[in-house]
Amino acid sequence: MLTFSLTVVRHGETQYNKEKLLQGQGVDTSLSEPGLQQAEAAGLYLRELRFSNVFVSNLQRARQTAEIIMRNNVHSSGVEMVFDPLLRERGFGIAEGRPKEDLKNMANAAGQSCRDYTPPGGETLEQVRLRCKKFLKSLYQRMVDDHSCSGQSSAAVGTEAGAGGAESGTDGPLAGLPDDGMEGVPLHALVVSHGAYIRVAVRHFVEDLQCSLPQGLKMSKVLSACPNTGISRFVLTVSPSECGVALSAVRCVFTNRKDHLTSRNICYITH
């Protein structure tokens, strides 16, 4: 078995984010000035963590965010960033480039909730979930290929995937530190992606894989929208199976953390 922590970061703010315009995959914008500051803040927050692998959406806003995080990191200068289209944002079809309010109106006209509605030419939530599952399968294999001979094996870390689980998987309240949940887990993968994609991925972990959750964490918080450069962390154990490498255990450490976005931190960066 191989155990590793997975830290997932949403990209920094873009001008489209600020103006509440949908980007999806067809609008490939760069970070705004506040977005660059957010990425710097995330990089400083994560700077002492050692990343063994880095996977990034190949859209510009995610690439910029990952590059800034890695530039600030003191331990991972030689780690390759893998740019993977499987980590792209959900495609919103004809709604891309238009106000989010337009998407709500289109959903209302179709008699559907905004979350479940798929505009013409866009991806359904199920298609995004399948794309996420495909990425995770490749992630498991890559981690095993890169590290199975390094002696980094470990016992399962929480609930067996798919077996259900009310157990917390944590020993108590978190300290609120950048390395929360990583004690005794030397392997660490970083993923930089997008808001709608991350929300689908977290829901997949929680609902499909039945991952264990921190004590006292409300489900509404776990499944809430991720802010720009919001940080989530999971600890996963994978093991060989007849079909290759399969997930055997997963627990959630925290989701949507934004401690690094305090006004004090941003002021430190800008001055």
Side-chain angles (χ1 to χ4, degrees), residues 40-57:
E40 289 284 351
L44 290 173
Y45 184 76
L46 300 171
R47 70 189 303 269
E48 296 290 344
L49 303 186
R50 186 182 300 274
F51 297 115
S52 49
N53 296 78
V54 180
F55 305 91
V56 186
S57 160

PDB file of all heavy atoms in Angstrom, residues 40-57:
ATOM      1  N   GLU A  40       0.515  34.444  -4.430  1.00  0.00           N
ATOM      2  CA  GLU A  40       1.708  34.651  -3.607  1.00  0.00           C
ATOM      3  C   GLU A  40       1.424  34.270  -2.154  1.00  0.00           C
ATOM      4  O   GLU A  40       2.251  33.635  -1.490  1.00  0.00           O
ATOM      5  CB  GLU A  40       2.158  36.115  -3.680  1.00  0.00           C
ATOM      6  CG  GLU A  40       2.768  36.533  -5.004  1.00  0.00           C
ATOM      7  CD  GLU A  40       4.187  36.019  -5.187  1.00  0.00           C
ATOM      8  OE1 GLU A  40       4.775  35.481  -4.223  1.00  0.00           O
ATOM      9  OE2 GLU A  40       4.716  36.161  -6.313  1.00  0.00           O
ATOM     10  N   ALA A  41       0.250  34.661  -1.657  1.00  0.00           N
ATOM     11  CA  ALA A  41      -0.115  34.337  -0.272  1.00  0.00           C
ATOM     12  C   ALA A  41      -0.226  32.833  -0.078  1.00  0.00           C
ATOM     13  O   ALA A  41       0.231  32.284   0.932  1.00  0.00           O
ATOM     14  CB  ALA A  41      -1.436  35.025   0.091  1.00  0.00           C
ATOM     15  N   ALA A  42      -0.821  32.133  -1.052  1.00  0.00           N
ATOM     16  CA  ALA A  42      -0.914  30.675  -0.971  1.00  0.00           C
ATOM     17  C   ALA A  42       0.480  30.052  -1.009  1.00  0.00           C
ATOM     18  O   ALA A  42       0.775  29.094  -0.276  1.00  0.00           O
ATOM     19  CB  ALA A  42      -1.771  30.137  -2.114  1.00  0.00           C
ATOM     20  N   GLY A  43       1.352  30.608  -1.866  1.00  0.00           N
ATOM     21  CA  GLY A  43       2.719  30.095  -1.958  1.00  0.00           C
ATOM     22  C   GLY A  43       3.486  30.263  -0.664  1.00  0.00           C
ATOM     23  O   GLY A  43       4.218  29.351  -0.234  1.00  0.00           O
ATOM     24  N   LEU A  44       3.323  31.405  -0.009  1.00  0.00           N
ATOM     25  CA  LEU A  44       3.994  31.631   1.273  1.00  0.00           C
ATOM     26  C   LEU A  44       3.431  30.709   2.347  1.00  0.00           C
ATOM     27  O   LEU A  44       4.170  30.198   3.188  1.00  0.00           O
ATOM     28  CB  LEU A  44       3.830  33.096   1.691  1.00  0.00           C
ATOM     29  CG  LEU A  44       4.609  34.114   0.851  1.00  0.00           C
ATOM     30  CD1 LEU A  44       4.239  35.536   1.262  1.00  0.00           C
ATOM     31  CD2 LEU A  44       6.112  33.892   1.010  1.00  0.00           C
ATOM     32  N   TYR A  45       2.130  30.481   2.305  1.00  0.00           N
ATOM     33  CA  TYR A  45       1.484  29.605   3.291  1.00  0.00           C
ATOM     34  C   TYR A  45       1.988  28.159   3.162  1.00  0.00           C
ATOM     35  O   TYR A  45       2.209  27.470   4.158  1.00  0.00           O
ATOM     36  CB  TYR A  45      -0.028  29.656   3.080  1.00  0.00           C
ATOM     37  CG  TYR A  45      -0.847  28.879   4.089  1.00  0.00           C
ATOM     38  CD1 TYR A  45      -1.053  29.372   5.374  1.00  0.00           C
ATOM     39  CD2 TYR A  45      -1.425  27.656   3.747  1.00  0.00           C
ATOM     40  CE1 TYR A  45      -1.811  28.664   6.293  1.00  0.00           C
ATOM     41  CE2 TYR A  45      -2.180  26.942   4.655  1.00  0.00           C
ATOM     42  CZ  TYR A  45      -2.376  27.451   5.931  1.00  0.00           C
ATOM     43  OH  TYR A  45      -3.130  26.743   6.840  1.00  0.00           O
ATOM     44  N   LEU A  46       2.211  27.729   1.923  1.00  0.00           N
ATOM     45  CA  LEU A  46       2.606  26.337   1.653  1.00  0.00           C
ATOM     46  C   LEU A  46       4.112  26.173   1.450  1.00  0.00           C
ATOM     47  O   LEU A  46       4.572  25.087   1.114  1.00  0.00           O
ATOM     48  CB  LEU A  46       1.874  25.829   0.399  1.00  0.00           C
ATOM     49  CG  LEU A  46       0.345  25.823   0.452  1.00  0.00           C
ATOM     50  CD1 LEU A  46      -0.232  25.513  -0.929  1.00  0.00           C
ATOM     51  CD2 LEU A  46      -0.158  24.799   1.474  1.00  0.00           C
ATOM     52  N   ARG A  47       4.874  27.207   1.676  1.00  0.00           N
ATOM     53  CA  ARG A  47       6.286  27.228   1.266  1.00  0.00           C
ATOM     54  C   ARG A  47       7.147  26.166   1.947  1.00  0.00           C
ATOM     55  O   ARG A  47       8.125  25.682   1.366  1.00  0.00           O
ATOM     56  CB  ARG A  47       6.888  28.616   1.495  1.00  0.00           C
ATOM     57  CG  ARG A  47       7.084  29.003   2.952  1.00  0.00           C
ATOM     58  CD  ARG A  47       7.474  30.489   3.079  1.00  0.00           C
ATOM     59  NE  ARG A  47       8.674  30.818   2.337  1.00  0.00           N
ATOM     60  CZ  ARG A  47       9.897  30.775   2.838  1.00  0.00           C
ATOM     61  NH1 ARG A  47      10.080  30.407   4.100  1.00  0.00           N
ATOM     62  NH2 ARG A  47      10.944  31.100   2.107  1.00  0.00           N
ATOM     63  N   GLU A  48       6.826  25.770   3.165  1.00  0.00           N
ATOM     64  CA  GLU A  48       7.656  24.807   3.889  1.00  0.00           C
ATOM     65  C   GLU A  48       7.254  23.356   3.632  1.00  0.00           C
ATOM     66  O   GLU A  48       7.896  22.433   4.143  1.00  0.00           O
ATOM     67  CB  GLU A  48       7.594  25.086   5.396  1.00  0.00           C
ATOM     68  CG  GLU A  48       8.165  26.438   5.807  1.00  0.00           C
ATOM     69  CD  GLU A  48       9.672  26.515   5.650  1.00  0.00           C
ATOM     70  OE1 GLU A  48      10.317  25.452   5.511  1.00  0.00           O
ATOM     71  OE2 GLU A  48      10.211  27.638   5.637  1.00  0.00           O
ATOM     72  N   LEU A  49       6.192  23.142   2.864  1.00  0.00           N
ATOM     73  CA  LEU A  49       5.755  21.782   2.579  1.00  0.00           C
ATOM     74  C   LEU A  49       6.541  21.217   1.406  1.00  0.00           C
ATOM     75  O   LEU A  49       6.844  21.924   0.450  1.00  0.00           O
ATOM     76  CB  LEU A  49       4.257  21.760   2.258  1.00  0.00           C
ATOM     77  CG  LEU A  49       3.327  22.345   3.330  1.00  0.00           C
ATOM     78  CD1 LEU A  49       1.872  22.125   2.930  1.00  0.00           C
ATOM     79  CD2 LEU A  49       3.610  21.749   4.700  1.00  0.00           C
ATOM     80  N   ARG A  50       6.838  19.937   1.481  1.00  0.00           N
ATOM     81  CA  ARG A  50       7.601  19.287   0.412  1.00  0.00           C
ATOM     82  C   ARG A  50       6.628  18.549  -0.508  1.00  0.00           C
ATOM     83  O   ARG A  50       5.959  17.600  -0.107  1.00  0.00           O
ATOM     84  CB  ARG A  50       8.605  18.298   1.008  1.00  0.00           C
ATOM     85  CG  ARG A  50       9.552  17.685  -0.024  1.00  0.00           C
ATOM     86  CD  ARG A  50      10.480  16.669   0.639  1.00  0.00           C
ATOM     87  NE  ARG A  50      11.271  17.289   1.672  1.00  0.00           N
ATOM     88  CZ  ARG A  50      12.430  17.921   1.471  1.00  0.00           C
ATOM     89  NH1 ARG A  50      12.902  18.025   0.245  1.00  0.00           N
ATOM     90  NH2 ARG A  50      13.090  18.447   2.483  1.00  0.00           N
ATOM     91  N   PHE A  51       6.547  18.994  -1.750  1.00  0.00           N
ATOM     92  CA  PHE A  51       5.681  18.343  -2.729  1.00  0.00           C
ATOM     93  C   PHE A  51       6.489  17.317  -3.518  1.00  0.00           C
ATOM     94  O   PHE A  51       7.527  17.641  -4.095  1.00  0.00           O
ATOM     95  CB  PHE A  51       5.077  19.370  -3.690  1.00  0.00           C
ATOM     96  CG  PHE A  51       4.180  20.378  -3.022  1.00  0.00           C
ATOM     97  CD1 PHE A  51       4.527  21.721  -2.995  1.00  0.00           C
ATOM     98  CD2 PHE A  51       3.009  19.979  -2.416  1.00  0.00           C
ATOM     99  CE1 PHE A  51       3.705  22.653  -2.378  1.00  0.00           C
ATOM    100  CE2 PHE A  51       2.185  20.910  -1.793  1.00  0.00           C
ATOM    101  CZ  PHE A  51       2.527  22.244  -1.775  1.00  0.00           C
ATOM    102  N   SER A  52       5.998  16.098  -3.551  1.00  0.00           N
ATOM    103  CA  SER A  52       6.680  15.063  -4.322  1.00  0.00           C
ATOM    104  C   SER A  52       6.182  15.027  -5.765  1.00  0.00           C
ATOM    105  O   SER A  52       6.909  14.586  -6.667  1.00  0.00           O
ATOM    106  CB  SER A  52       6.487  13.694  -3.660  1.00  0.00           C
ATOM    107  OG  SER A  52       5.124  13.462  -3.340  1.00  0.00           O
ATOM    108  N   ASN A  53       4.943  15.488  -5.993  1.00  0.00           N
ATOM    109  CA  ASN A  53       4.361  15.534  -7.336  1.00  0.00           C
ATOM    110  C   ASN A  53       3.447  16.746  -7.441  1.00  0.00           C
ATOM    111  O   ASN A  53       2.815  17.128  -6.451  1.00  0.00           O
ATOM    112  CB  ASN A  53       3.543  14.272  -7.638  1.00  0.00           C
ATOM    113  CG  ASN A  53       4.378  13.007  -7.656  1.00  0.00           C
ATOM    114  OD1 ASN A  53       4.728  12.485  -6.605  1.00  0.00           O
ATOM    115  ND2 ASN A  53       4.691  12.515  -8.834  1.00  0.00           N
ATOM    116  N   VAL A  54       3.366  17.321  -8.645  1.00  0.00           N
ATOM    117  CA  VAL A  54       2.520  18.497  -8.865  1.00  0.00           C
ATOM    118  C   VAL A  54       1.749  18.309 -10.169  1.00  0.00           C
ATOM    119  O   VAL A  54       2.346  18.043 -11.222  1.00  0.00           O
ATOM    120  CB  VAL A  54       3.356  19.796  -8.941  1.00  0.00           C
ATOM    121  CG1 VAL A  54       2.446  21.003  -9.171  1.00  0.00           C
ATOM    122  CG2 VAL A  54       4.176  19.979  -7.666  1.00  0.00           C
ATOM    123  N   PHE A  55       0.425  18.462 -10.087  1.00  0.00           N
ATOM    124  CA  PHE A  55      -0.457  18.308 -11.245  1.00  0.00           C
ATOM    125  C   PHE A  55      -1.304  19.571 -11.378  1.00  0.00           C
ATOM    126  O   PHE A  55      -1.895  20.028 -10.400  1.00  0.00           O
ATOM    127  CB  PHE A  55      -1.354  17.084 -11.084  1.00  0.00           C
ATOM    128  CG  PHE A  55      -0.598  15.812 -10.836  1.00  0.00           C
ATOM    129  CD1 PHE A  55      -0.319  15.394  -9.538  1.00  0.00           C
ATOM    130  CD2 PHE A  55      -0.146  15.042 -11.893  1.00  0.00           C
ATOM    131  CE1 PHE A  55       0.390  14.227  -9.301  1.00  0.00           C
ATOM    132  CE2 PHE A  55       0.567  13.869 -11.665  1.00  0.00           C
ATOM    133  CZ  PHE A  55       0.839  13.458 -10.358  1.00  0.00           C
ATOM    134  N   VAL A  56      -1.379  20.101 -12.598  1.00  0.00           N
ATOM    135  CA  VAL A  56      -1.986  21.415 -12.797  1.00  0.00           C
ATOM    136  C   VAL A  56      -2.861  21.402 -14.052  1.00  0.00           C
ATOM    137  O   VAL A  56      -2.484  20.827 -15.080  1.00  0.00           O
ATOM    138  CB  VAL A  56      -0.886  22.495 -12.960  1.00  0.00           C
ATOM    139  CG1 VAL A  56      -1.509  23.890 -13.014  1.00  0.00           C
ATOM    140  CG2 VAL A  56       0.136  22.412 -11.830  1.00  0.00           C
ATOM    141  N   SER A  57      -4.012  22.042 -13.969  1.00  0.00           N
ATOM    142  CA  SER A  57      -4.800  22.311 -15.169  1.00  0.00           C
ATOM    143  C   SER A  57      -3.943  23.086 -16.159  1.00  0.00           C
ATOM    144  O   SER A  57      -3.131  23.927 -15.774  1.00  0.00           O
ATOM    145  CB  SER A  57      -6.040  23.133 -14.795  1.00  0.00           C
ATOM    146  OG  SER A  57      -6.568  23.798 -15.929  1.00  0.00           O
TER     147      SER A  57
END
